[in-house]
Amino acid sequence: MINVSDQHAPRSLIVTLYGAYGRYAPGPVPVAELIRLLAAVGVDAPSVRSSVSRLKRRGLLLPARTARGAAGYELSDEARQLLEDGDRRIYATDPPADDGWVLAVFSVPESERQKRHILRSRLAALGFGTAAPGVWIAPARLYEETRHVLGRLRLATYVDFFRGEHLGFAPTAEAVARWWDLAAIAKEHDAFLDRHARVLRDWEQRPDTPPQDAYRDYLLALDSWRRLPYADPGLPARLLPDDWPGARSAAVFRALHERLRDAGAVFADL
């Protein structure tokens, strides 16, 4: 059995599997099928079971019986909303809109400072940059998803949102370089390209698309890619360095998605 790297942790792969195929199943995904499908990308059965248990504790997976009475798991309503929110980023095909900014300004009492930490970590995970202490900024299109997430976490009462444009004094491109660590984001794009651009080149040279091979390479590419549209909030091209790798990594993912997703569904057979 192949060892799964940190890049493809079992729990992450299970979420990716449900996002790609499991949520479209007519009922709960049987445990036996989860084990089969995760084995195809190098995850052993004990790792699947322990990871499913963690996702169940987090309220993302719910135990249920299939029509034939087999034990399985289905997505919670919260998990489905998370996947639907993620779809808009992960499968985006158009260049990011240049439609201004959303500001999140929060204040948390010292007696509840743990919530302050949760707010910061969630806003960072959603792609917000830091404009000033307690003031977070992101492209305006991220507002709806952010509102959903903070509402689910019962943090909405601590936050005010504003829409606006940057008026200076520094040029916006210089300010963006302060608000986000662009070098770190570019490094993540480069890492994706290092792993998956050669996979795409190999597929481009193949006349056939065997379902099991397609499933494996697609699931691993999606598992790597789905983090990137959160690390990278999709800033307008005019504000990014000339050699920005984001468009290249997005093109590689889209090409793999178009070539492999449907063939992989044949192997998944859910």
Side-chain angles (χ1 to χ4, degrees), residues 229-265:
Y230 287 89
D232 181 344
L235 301 170
R238 65 182 177 85
L239 302 178
L240 293 168
D242 291 338
D243 59 348
W244 188 249
R248 297 196 303 277
S249 63
V252 166
F253 173 72
R254 283 196 297 270
L256 287 169
H257 174 77
E258 291 169 5
R259 175 69 183 269
L260 304 179
R261 194 271 170 195
D262 290 347

PDB file of all heavy atoms in Angstrom, residues 229-265:
ATOM      1  N   PRO A 229      -7.624  27.958  -4.252  1.00  0.00           N
ATOM      2  CA  PRO A 229      -8.500  29.121  -4.382  1.00  0.00           C
ATOM      3  C   PRO A 229      -8.872  29.756  -3.041  1.00  0.00           C
ATOM      4  O   PRO A 229      -9.562  30.781  -3.023  1.00  0.00           O
ATOM      5  CB  PRO A 229      -9.746  28.544  -5.081  1.00  0.00           C
ATOM      6  CG  PRO A 229      -9.253  27.304  -5.758  1.00  0.00           C
ATOM      7  CD  PRO A 229      -8.229  26.748  -4.831  1.00  0.00           C
ATOM      8  N   TYR A 230      -8.448  29.150  -1.929  1.00  0.00           N
ATOM      9  CA  TYR A 230      -8.630  29.763  -0.612  1.00  0.00           C
ATOM     10  C   TYR A 230      -7.346  30.456  -0.163  1.00  0.00           C
ATOM     11  O   TYR A 230      -7.382  31.550   0.402  1.00  0.00           O
ATOM     12  CB  TYR A 230      -9.080  28.713   0.400  1.00  0.00           C
ATOM     13  CG  TYR A 230     -10.513  28.311   0.182  1.00  0.00           C
ATOM     14  CD1 TYR A 230     -10.840  27.273  -0.679  1.00  0.00           C
ATOM     15  CD2 TYR A 230     -11.545  28.994   0.796  1.00  0.00           C
ATOM     16  CE1 TYR A 230     -12.160  26.924  -0.919  1.00  0.00           C
ATOM     17  CE2 TYR A 230     -12.868  28.663   0.580  1.00  0.00           C
ATOM     18  CZ  TYR A 230     -13.166  27.623  -0.284  1.00  0.00           C
ATOM     19  OH  TYR A 230     -14.486  27.286  -0.523  1.00  0.00           O
ATOM     20  N   ALA A 231      -6.202  29.826  -0.411  1.00  0.00           N
ATOM     21  CA  ALA A 231      -4.929  30.498  -0.131  1.00  0.00           C
ATOM     22  C   ALA A 231      -4.775  31.729  -1.019  1.00  0.00           C
ATOM     23  O   ALA A 231      -4.283  32.778  -0.588  1.00  0.00           O
ATOM     24  CB  ALA A 231      -3.769  29.537  -0.361  1.00  0.00           C
ATOM     25  N   ASP A 232      -5.205  31.592  -2.268  1.00  0.00           N
ATOM     26  CA  ASP A 232      -5.154  32.684  -3.241  1.00  0.00           C
ATOM     27  C   ASP A 232      -6.580  33.203  -3.434  1.00  0.00           C
ATOM     28  O   ASP A 232      -7.416  32.509  -4.014  1.00  0.00           O
ATOM     29  CB  ASP A 232      -4.594  32.164  -4.571  1.00  0.00           C
ATOM     30  CG  ASP A 232      -4.475  33.242  -5.629  1.00  0.00           C
ATOM     31  OD1 ASP A 232      -5.088  34.313  -5.462  1.00  0.00           O
ATOM     32  OD2 ASP A 232      -3.774  33.013  -6.623  1.00  0.00           O
ATOM     33  N   PRO A 233      -6.884  34.421  -2.984  1.00  0.00           N
ATOM     34  CA  PRO A 233      -8.267  34.903  -3.058  1.00  0.00           C
ATOM     35  C   PRO A 233      -8.709  35.320  -4.450  1.00  0.00           C
ATOM     36  O   PRO A 233      -9.848  35.740  -4.629  1.00  0.00           O
ATOM     37  CB  PRO A 233      -8.261  36.105  -2.108  1.00  0.00           C
ATOM     38  CG  PRO A 233      -6.863  36.622  -2.177  1.00  0.00           C
ATOM     39  CD  PRO A 233      -5.997  35.392  -2.318  1.00  0.00           C
ATOM     40  N   GLY A 234      -7.819  35.227  -5.446  1.00  0.00           N
ATOM     41  CA  GLY A 234      -8.197  35.616  -6.794  1.00  0.00           C
ATOM     42  C   GLY A 234      -8.155  37.112  -6.998  1.00  0.00           C
ATOM     43  O   GLY A 234      -9.155  37.744  -7.363  1.00  0.00           O
ATOM     44  N   LEU A 235      -6.996  37.693  -6.748  1.00  0.00           N
ATOM     45  CA  LEU A 235      -6.832  39.135  -6.905  1.00  0.00           C
ATOM     46  C   LEU A 235      -6.794  39.512  -8.387  1.00  0.00           C
ATOM     47  O   LEU A 235      -6.372  38.707  -9.224  1.00  0.00           O
ATOM     48  CB  LEU A 235      -5.545  39.584  -6.217  1.00  0.00           C
ATOM     49  CG  LEU A 235      -5.472  39.285  -4.714  1.00  0.00           C
ATOM     50  CD1 LEU A 235      -4.069  39.543  -4.189  1.00  0.00           C
ATOM     51  CD2 LEU A 235      -6.480  40.127  -3.945  1.00  0.00           C
ATOM     52  N   PRO A 236      -7.238  40.713  -8.724  1.00  0.00           N
ATOM     53  CA  PRO A 236      -7.184  41.139 -10.130  1.00  0.00           C
ATOM     54  C   PRO A 236      -5.764  41.080 -10.677  1.00  0.00           C
ATOM     55  O   PRO A 236      -4.789  41.388  -9.969  1.00  0.00           O
ATOM     56  CB  PRO A 236      -7.696  42.579 -10.076  1.00  0.00           C
ATOM     57  CG  PRO A 236      -8.520  42.645  -8.830  1.00  0.00           C
ATOM     58  CD  PRO A 236      -7.853  41.722  -7.848  1.00  0.00           C
ATOM     59  N   ALA A 237      -5.632  40.686 -11.928  1.00  0.00           N
ATOM     60  CA  ALA A 237      -4.308  40.512 -12.535  1.00  0.00           C
ATOM     61  C   ALA A 237      -3.485  41.798 -12.489  1.00  0.00           C
ATOM     62  O   ALA A 237      -2.257  41.752 -12.361  1.00  0.00           O
ATOM     63  CB  ALA A 237      -4.471  40.033 -13.974  1.00  0.00           C
ATOM     64  N   ARG A 238      -4.150  42.960 -12.572  1.00  0.00           N
ATOM     65  CA  ARG A 238      -3.404  44.225 -12.596  1.00  0.00           C
ATOM     66  C   ARG A 238      -2.671  44.491 -11.280  1.00  0.00           C
ATOM     67  O   ARG A 238      -1.773  45.348 -11.229  1.00  0.00           O
ATOM     68  CB  ARG A 238      -4.353  45.386 -12.889  1.00  0.00           C
ATOM     69  CG  ARG A 238      -5.400  45.619 -11.804  1.00  0.00           C
ATOM     70  CD  ARG A 238      -6.362  46.740 -12.152  1.00  0.00           C
ATOM     71  NE  ARG A 238      -7.388  46.894 -11.128  1.00  0.00           N
ATOM     72  CZ  ARG A 238      -7.229  47.617 -10.023  1.00  0.00           C
ATOM     73  NH1 ARG A 238      -6.081  48.272  -9.820  1.00  0.00           N
ATOM     74  NH2 ARG A 238      -8.196  47.707  -9.136  1.00  0.00           N
ATOM     75  N   LEU A 239      -3.037  43.766 -10.219  1.00  0.00           N
ATOM     76  CA  LEU A 239      -2.425  43.982  -8.916  1.00  0.00           C
ATOM     77  C   LEU A 239      -1.373  42.928  -8.574  1.00  0.00           C
ATOM     78  O   LEU A 239      -0.805  42.962  -7.482  1.00  0.00           O
ATOM     79  CB  LEU A 239      -3.506  43.980  -7.828  1.00  0.00           C
ATOM     80  CG  LEU A 239      -4.618  45.015  -7.996  1.00  0.00           C
ATOM     81  CD1 LEU A 239      -5.647  44.865  -6.885  1.00  0.00           C
ATOM     82  CD2 LEU A 239      -4.043  46.430  -8.000  1.00  0.00           C
ATOM     83  N   LEU A 240      -1.106  42.022  -9.503  1.00  0.00           N
ATOM     84  CA  LEU A 240      -0.203  40.908  -9.234  1.00  0.00           C
ATOM     85  C   LEU A 240       1.090  41.062 -10.021  1.00  0.00           C
ATOM     86  O   LEU A 240       1.138  41.746 -11.044  1.00  0.00           O
ATOM     87  CB  LEU A 240      -0.890  39.595  -9.615  1.00  0.00           C
ATOM     88  CG  LEU A 240      -2.097  39.217  -8.759  1.00  0.00           C
ATOM     89  CD1 LEU A 240      -2.867  38.070  -9.398  1.00  0.00           C
ATOM     90  CD2 LEU A 240      -1.670  38.860  -7.332  1.00  0.00           C
ATOM     91  N   PRO A 241       2.173  40.400  -9.558  1.00  0.00           N
ATOM     92  CA  PRO A 241       3.428  40.427 -10.324  1.00  0.00           C
ATOM     93  C   PRO A 241       3.231  39.868 -11.731  1.00  0.00           C
ATOM     94  O   PRO A 241       2.354  39.025 -11.974  1.00  0.00           O
ATOM     95  CB  PRO A 241       4.354  39.520  -9.487  1.00  0.00           C
ATOM     96  CG  PRO A 241       3.778  39.534  -8.106  1.00  0.00           C
ATOM     97  CD  PRO A 241       2.291  39.662  -8.280  1.00  0.00           C
ATOM     98  N   ASP A 242       4.062  40.322 -12.644  1.00  0.00           N
ATOM     99  CA  ASP A 242       3.935  39.906 -14.055  1.00  0.00           C
ATOM    100  C   ASP A 242       4.089  38.400 -14.234  1.00  0.00           C
ATOM    101  O   ASP A 242       3.484  37.817 -15.134  1.00  0.00           O
ATOM    102  CB  ASP A 242       4.973  40.639 -14.916  1.00  0.00           C
ATOM    103  CG  ASP A 242       4.681  42.127 -15.029  1.00  0.00           C
ATOM    104  OD1 ASP A 242       3.507  42.517 -14.812  1.00  0.00           O
ATOM    105  OD2 ASP A 242       5.622  42.894 -15.312  1.00  0.00           O
ATOM    106  N   ASP A 243       4.911  37.759 -13.408  1.00  0.00           N
ATOM    107  CA  ASP A 243       5.164  36.325 -13.573  1.00  0.00           C
ATOM    108  C   ASP A 243       4.272  35.472 -12.669  1.00  0.00           C
ATOM    109  O   ASP A 243       4.622  34.346 -12.317  1.00  0.00           O
ATOM    110  CB  ASP A 243       6.640  36.012 -13.299  1.00  0.00           C
ATOM    111  CG  ASP A 243       7.060  36.425 -11.879  1.00  0.00           C
ATOM    112  OD1 ASP A 243       6.268  37.147 -11.207  1.00  0.00           O
ATOM    113  OD2 ASP A 243       8.164  36.043 -11.439  1.00  0.00           O
ATOM    114  N   TRP A 244       3.128  35.992 -12.296  1.00  0.00           N
ATOM    115  CA  TRP A 244       2.244  35.287 -11.358  1.00  0.00           C
ATOM    116  C   TRP A 244       1.837  33.922 -11.921  1.00  0.00           C
ATOM    117  O   TRP A 244       1.355  33.822 -13.050  1.00  0.00           O
ATOM    118  CB  TRP A 244       1.001  36.121 -11.099  1.00  0.00           C
ATOM    119  CG  TRP A 244       0.140  35.575 -10.003  1.00  0.00           C
ATOM    120  CD1 TRP A 244      -1.087  35.012 -10.123  1.00  0.00           C
ATOM    121  CD2 TRP A 244       0.473  35.537  -8.609  1.00  0.00           C
ATOM    122  NE1 TRP A 244      -1.558  34.608  -8.902  1.00  0.00           N
ATOM    123  CE2 TRP A 244      -0.615  34.921  -7.955  1.00  0.00           C
ATOM    124  CE3 TRP A 244       1.573  35.953  -7.872  1.00  0.00           C
ATOM    125  CZ2 TRP A 244      -0.633  34.720  -6.580  1.00  0.00           C
ATOM    126  CZ3 TRP A 244       1.558  35.754  -6.502  1.00  0.00           C
ATOM    127  CH2 TRP A 244       0.472  35.144  -5.865  1.00  0.00           C
ATOM    128  N   PRO A 245       2.024  32.827 -11.133  1.00  0.00           N
ATOM    129  CA  PRO A 245       1.763  31.473 -11.657  1.00  0.00           C
ATOM    130  C   PRO A 245       0.316  31.017 -11.534  1.00  0.00           C
ATOM    131  O   PRO A 245      -0.018  29.907 -11.935  1.00  0.00           O
ATOM    132  CB  PRO A 245       2.674  30.597 -10.789  1.00  0.00           C
ATOM    133  CG  PRO A 245       2.733  31.327  -9.478  1.00  0.00           C
ATOM    134  CD  PRO A 245       2.691  32.800  -9.817  1.00  0.00           C
ATOM    135  N   GLY A 246      -0.560  31.850 -10.977  1.00  0.00           N
ATOM    136  CA  GLY A 246      -1.930  31.410 -10.717  1.00  0.00           C
ATOM    137  C   GLY A 246      -2.692  30.994 -11.956  1.00  0.00           C
ATOM    138  O   GLY A 246      -3.407  29.983 -11.943  1.00  0.00           O
ATOM    139  N   ALA A 247      -2.562  31.743 -13.041  1.00  0.00           N
ATOM    140  CA  ALA A 247      -3.293  31.388 -14.263  1.00  0.00           C
ATOM    141  C   ALA A 247      -2.810  30.058 -14.819  1.00  0.00           C
ATOM    142  O   ALA A 247      -3.608  29.255 -15.334  1.00  0.00           O
ATOM    143  CB  ALA A 247      -3.139  32.496 -15.299  1.00  0.00           C
ATOM    144  N   ARG A 248      -1.506  29.789 -14.707  1.00  0.00           N
ATOM    145  CA  ARG A 248      -0.975  28.517 -15.224  1.00  0.00           C
ATOM    146  C   ARG A 248      -1.490  27.340 -14.411  1.00  0.00           C
ATOM    147  O   ARG A 248      -1.883  26.307 -14.972  1.00  0.00           O
ATOM    148  CB  ARG A 248       0.562  28.544 -15.215  1.00  0.00           C
ATOM    149  CG  ARG A 248       1.165  29.597 -16.119  1.00  0.00           C
ATOM    150  CD  ARG A 248       2.641  29.342 -16.368  1.00  0.00           C
ATOM    151  NE  ARG A 248       3.450  29.277 -15.153  1.00  0.00           N
ATOM    152  CZ  ARG A 248       3.936  30.353 -14.522  1.00  0.00           C
ATOM    153  NH1 ARG A 248       3.674  31.570 -14.987  1.00  0.00           N
ATOM    154  NH2 ARG A 248       4.681  30.220 -13.445  1.00  0.00           N
ATOM    155  N   SER A 249      -1.486  27.472 -13.083  1.00  0.00           N
ATOM    156  CA  SER A 249      -1.961  26.346 -12.275  1.00  0.00           C
ATOM    157  C   SER A 249      -3.459  26.127 -12.475  1.00  0.00           C
ATOM    158  O   SER A 249      -3.924  24.981 -12.532  1.00  0.00           O
ATOM    159  CB  SER A 249      -1.623  26.560 -10.793  1.00  0.00           C
ATOM    160  OG  SER A 249      -2.284  27.687 -10.274  1.00  0.00           O
ATOM    161  N   ALA A 250      -4.224  27.212 -12.626  1.00  0.00           N
ATOM    162  CA  ALA A 250      -5.657  27.063 -12.888  1.00  0.00           C
ATOM    163  C   ALA A 250      -5.904  26.365 -14.218  1.00  0.00           C
ATOM    164  O   ALA A 250      -6.800  25.519 -14.340  1.00  0.00           O
ATOM    165  CB  ALA A 250      -6.338  28.432 -12.868  1.00  0.00           C
ATOM    166  N   ALA A 251      -5.104  26.693 -15.228  1.00  0.00           N
ATOM    167  CA  ALA A 251      -5.266  26.055 -16.535  1.00  0.00           C
ATOM    168  C   ALA A 251      -4.952  24.568 -16.465  1.00  0.00           C
ATOM    169  O   ALA A 251      -5.637  23.743 -17.103  1.00  0.00           O
ATOM    170  CB  ALA A 251      -4.369  26.738 -17.555  1.00  0.00           C
ATOM    171  N   VAL A 252      -3.935  24.192 -15.705  1.00  0.00           N
ATOM    172  CA  VAL A 252      -3.606  22.774 -15.550  1.00  0.00           C
ATOM    173  C   VAL A 252      -4.753  22.042 -14.863  1.00  0.00           C
ATOM    174  O   VAL A 252      -5.170  20.954 -15.296  1.00  0.00           O
ATOM    175  CB  VAL A 252      -2.292  22.603 -14.762  1.00  0.00           C
ATOM    176  CG1 VAL A 252      -2.106  21.156 -14.303  1.00  0.00           C
ATOM    177  CG2 VAL A 252      -1.095  23.032 -15.619  1.00  0.00           C
ATOM    178  N   PHE A 253      -5.297  22.622 -13.786  1.00  0.00           N
ATOM    179  CA  PHE A 253      -6.397  21.941 -13.113  1.00  0.00           C
ATOM    180  C   PHE A 253      -7.607  21.803 -14.025  1.00  0.00           C
ATOM    181  O   PHE A 253      -8.227  20.739 -14.104  1.00  0.00           O
ATOM    182  CB  PHE A 253      -6.806  22.651 -11.822  1.00  0.00           C
ATOM    183  CG  PHE A 253      -8.037  22.043 -11.232  1.00  0.00           C
ATOM    184  CD1 PHE A 253      -7.986  20.786 -10.637  1.00  0.00           C
ATOM    185  CD2 PHE A 253      -9.281  22.668 -11.338  1.00  0.00           C
ATOM    186  CE1 PHE A 253      -9.135  20.170 -10.139  1.00  0.00           C
ATOM    187  CE2 PHE A 253     -10.424  22.064 -10.844  1.00  0.00           C
ATOM    188  CZ  PHE A 253     -10.349  20.821 -10.244  1.00  0.00           C
ATOM    189  N   ARG A 254      -7.963  22.878 -14.742  1.00  0.00           N
ATOM    190  CA  ARG A 254      -9.136  22.800 -15.619  1.00  0.00           C
ATOM    191  C   ARG A 254      -8.958  21.734 -16.691  1.00  0.00           C
ATOM    192  O   ARG A 254      -9.894  20.985 -17.010  1.00  0.00           O
ATOM    193  CB  ARG A 254      -9.400  24.163 -16.270  1.00  0.00           C
ATOM    194  CG  ARG A 254     -10.048  25.169 -15.333  1.00  0.00           C
ATOM    195  CD  ARG A 254     -10.631  26.340 -16.104  1.00  0.00           C
ATOM    196  NE  ARG A 254      -9.610  27.102 -16.808  1.00  0.00           N
ATOM    197  CZ  ARG A 254      -8.960  28.137 -16.303  1.00  0.00           C
ATOM    198  NH1 ARG A 254      -9.216  28.537 -15.053  1.00  0.00           N
ATOM    199  NH2 ARG A 254      -8.064  28.787 -17.006  1.00  0.00           N
ATOM    200  N   ALA A 255      -7.746  21.617 -17.236  1.00  0.00           N
ATOM    201  CA  ALA A 255      -7.503  20.603 -18.264  1.00  0.00           C
ATOM    202  C   ALA A 255      -7.616  19.192 -17.688  1.00  0.00           C
ATOM    203  O   ALA A 255      -8.179  18.293 -18.323  1.00  0.00           O
ATOM    204  CB  ALA A 255      -6.125  20.816 -18.892  1.00  0.00           C
ATOM    205  N   LEU A 256      -7.087  18.988 -16.489  1.00  0.00           N
ATOM    206  CA  LEU A 256      -7.217  17.679 -15.842  1.00  0.00           C
ATOM    207  C   LEU A 256      -8.682  17.385 -15.525  1.00  0.00           C
ATOM    208  O   LEU A 256      -9.155  16.247 -15.697  1.00  0.00           O
ATOM    209  CB  LEU A 256      -6.370  17.636 -14.573  1.00  0.00           C
ATOM    210  CG  LEU A 256      -4.856  17.539 -14.779  1.00  0.00           C
ATOM    211  CD1 LEU A 256      -4.107  17.780 -13.470  1.00  0.00           C
ATOM    212  CD2 LEU A 256      -4.466  16.174 -15.362  1.00  0.00           C
ATOM    213  N   HIS A 257      -9.400  18.379 -15.065  1.00  0.00           N
ATOM    214  CA  HIS A 257     -10.820  18.204 -14.752  1.00  0.00           C
ATOM    215  C   HIS A 257     -11.589  17.776 -15.997  1.00  0.00           C
ATOM    216  O   HIS A 257     -12.384  16.821 -15.958  1.00  0.00           O
ATOM    217  CB  HIS A 257     -11.376  19.517 -14.196  1.00  0.00           C
ATOM    218  CG  HIS A 257     -12.853  19.506 -13.963  1.00  0.00           C
ATOM    219  ND1 HIS A 257     -13.435  18.889 -12.880  1.00  0.00           N
ATOM    220  CD2 HIS A 257     -13.878  20.030 -14.687  1.00  0.00           C
ATOM    221  CE1 HIS A 257     -14.750  19.044 -12.938  1.00  0.00           C
ATOM    222  NE2 HIS A 257     -15.035  19.727 -14.029  1.00  0.00           N
ATOM    223  N   GLU A 258     -11.357  18.455 -17.111  1.00  0.00           N
ATOM    224  CA  GLU A 258     -12.085  18.150 -18.336  1.00  0.00           C
ATOM    225  C   GLU A 258     -11.733  16.767 -18.891  1.00  0.00           C
ATOM    226  O   GLU A 258     -12.592  16.051 -19.410  1.00  0.00           O
ATOM    227  CB  GLU A 258     -11.802  19.227 -19.381  1.00  0.00           C
ATOM    228  CG  GLU A 258     -12.417  20.577 -19.011  1.00  0.00           C
ATOM    229  CD  GLU A 258     -11.925  21.708 -19.889  1.00  0.00           C
ATOM    230  OE1 GLU A 258     -11.166  21.417 -20.856  1.00  0.00           O
ATOM    231  OE2 GLU A 258     -12.262  22.872 -19.622  1.00  0.00           O
ATOM    232  N   ARG A 259     -10.481  16.369 -18.738  1.00  0.00           N
ATOM    233  CA  ARG A 259     -10.046  15.082 -19.279  1.00  0.00           C
ATOM    234  C   ARG A 259     -10.438  13.911 -18.386  1.00  0.00           C
ATOM    235  O   ARG A 259     -10.794  12.825 -18.892  1.00  0.00           O
ATOM    236  CB  ARG A 259      -8.521  15.095 -19.468  1.00  0.00           C
ATOM    237  CG  ARG A 259      -7.905  13.761 -19.915  1.00  0.00           C
ATOM    238  CD  ARG A 259      -8.295  13.414 -21.351  1.00  0.00           C
ATOM    239  NE  ARG A 259      -7.768  12.126 -21.760  1.00  0.00           N
ATOM    240  CZ  ARG A 259      -6.580  11.952 -22.363  1.00  0.00           C
ATOM    241  NH1 ARG A 259      -5.810  13.001 -22.628  1.00  0.00           N
ATOM    242  NH2 ARG A 259      -6.184  10.750 -22.725  1.00  0.00           N
ATOM    243  N   LEU A 260     -10.399  14.088 -17.067  1.00  0.00           N
ATOM    244  CA  LEU A 260     -10.433  12.946 -16.160  1.00  0.00           C
ATOM    245  C   LEU A 260     -11.695  12.804 -15.330  1.00  0.00           C
ATOM    246  O   LEU A 260     -12.019  11.683 -14.916  1.00  0.00           O
ATOM    247  CB  LEU A 260      -9.234  13.024 -15.195  1.00  0.00           C
ATOM    248  CG  LEU A 260      -7.846  13.116 -15.829  1.00  0.00           C
ATOM    249  CD1 LEU A 260      -6.787  13.206 -14.740  1.00  0.00           C
ATOM    250  CD2 LEU A 260      -7.577  11.934 -16.745  1.00  0.00           C
ATOM    251  N   ARG A 261     -12.409  13.877 -15.082  1.00  0.00           N
ATOM    252  CA  ARG A 261     -13.490  13.815 -14.101  1.00  0.00           C
ATOM    253  C   ARG A 261     -14.544  12.767 -14.464  1.00  0.00           C
ATOM    254  O   ARG A 261     -14.902  11.913 -13.654  1.00  0.00           O
ATOM    255  CB  ARG A 261     -14.128  15.190 -13.943  1.00  0.00           C
ATOM    256  CG  ARG A 261     -15.030  15.324 -12.723  1.00  0.00           C
ATOM    257  CD  ARG A 261     -16.459  14.941 -13.004  1.00  0.00           C
ATOM    258  NE  ARG A 261     -17.233  14.852 -11.782  1.00  0.00           N
ATOM    259  CZ  ARG A 261     -18.415  14.273 -11.698  1.00  0.00           C
ATOM    260  NH1 ARG A 261     -18.954  13.698 -12.768  1.00  0.00           N
ATOM    261  NH2 ARG A 261     -19.065  14.219 -10.554  1.00  0.00           N
ATOM    262  N   ASP A 262     -15.053  12.818 -15.683  1.00  0.00           N
ATOM    263  CA  ASP A 262     -16.133  11.906 -16.059  1.00  0.00           C
ATOM    264  C   ASP A 262     -15.651  10.465 -16.171  1.00  0.00           C
ATOM    265  O   ASP A 262     -16.366   9.533 -15.788  1.00  0.00           O
ATOM    266  CB  ASP A 262     -16.763  12.351 -17.374  1.00  0.00           C
ATOM    267  CG  ASP A 262     -17.558  13.642 -17.217  1.00  0.00           C
ATOM    268  OD1 ASP A 262     -17.827  14.049 -16.065  1.00  0.00           O
ATOM    269  OD2 ASP A 262     -17.901  14.254 -18.246  1.00  0.00           O
ATOM    270  N   ALA A 263     -14.448  10.253 -16.681  1.00  0.00           N
ATOM    271  CA  ALA A 263     -13.908   8.897 -16.728  1.00  0.00           C
ATOM    272  C   ALA A 263     -13.717   8.352 -15.316  1.00  0.00           C
ATOM    273  O   ALA A 263     -13.974   7.179 -15.039  1.00  0.00           O
ATOM    274  CB  ALA A 263     -12.588   8.878 -17.491  1.00  0.00           C
ATOM    275  N   GLY A 264     -13.258   9.212 -14.411  1.00  0.00           N
ATOM    276  CA  GLY A 264     -13.109   8.790 -13.017  1.00  0.00           C
ATOM    277  C   GLY A 264     -14.432   8.390 -12.379  1.00  0.00           C
ATOM    278  O   GLY A 264     -14.486   7.502 -11.524  1.00  0.00           O
ATOM    279  N   ALA A 265     -15.518   9.043 -12.806  1.00  0.00           N
ATOM    280  CA  ALA A 265     -16.833   8.711 -12.258  1.00  0.00           C
ATOM    281  C   ALA A 265     -17.234   7.279 -12.597  1.00  0.00           C
ATOM    282  O   ALA A 265     -17.969   6.640 -11.842  1.00  0.00           O
ATOM    283  CB  ALA A 265     -17.870   9.684 -12.798  1.00  0.00           C
TER     284      ALA A 265
END
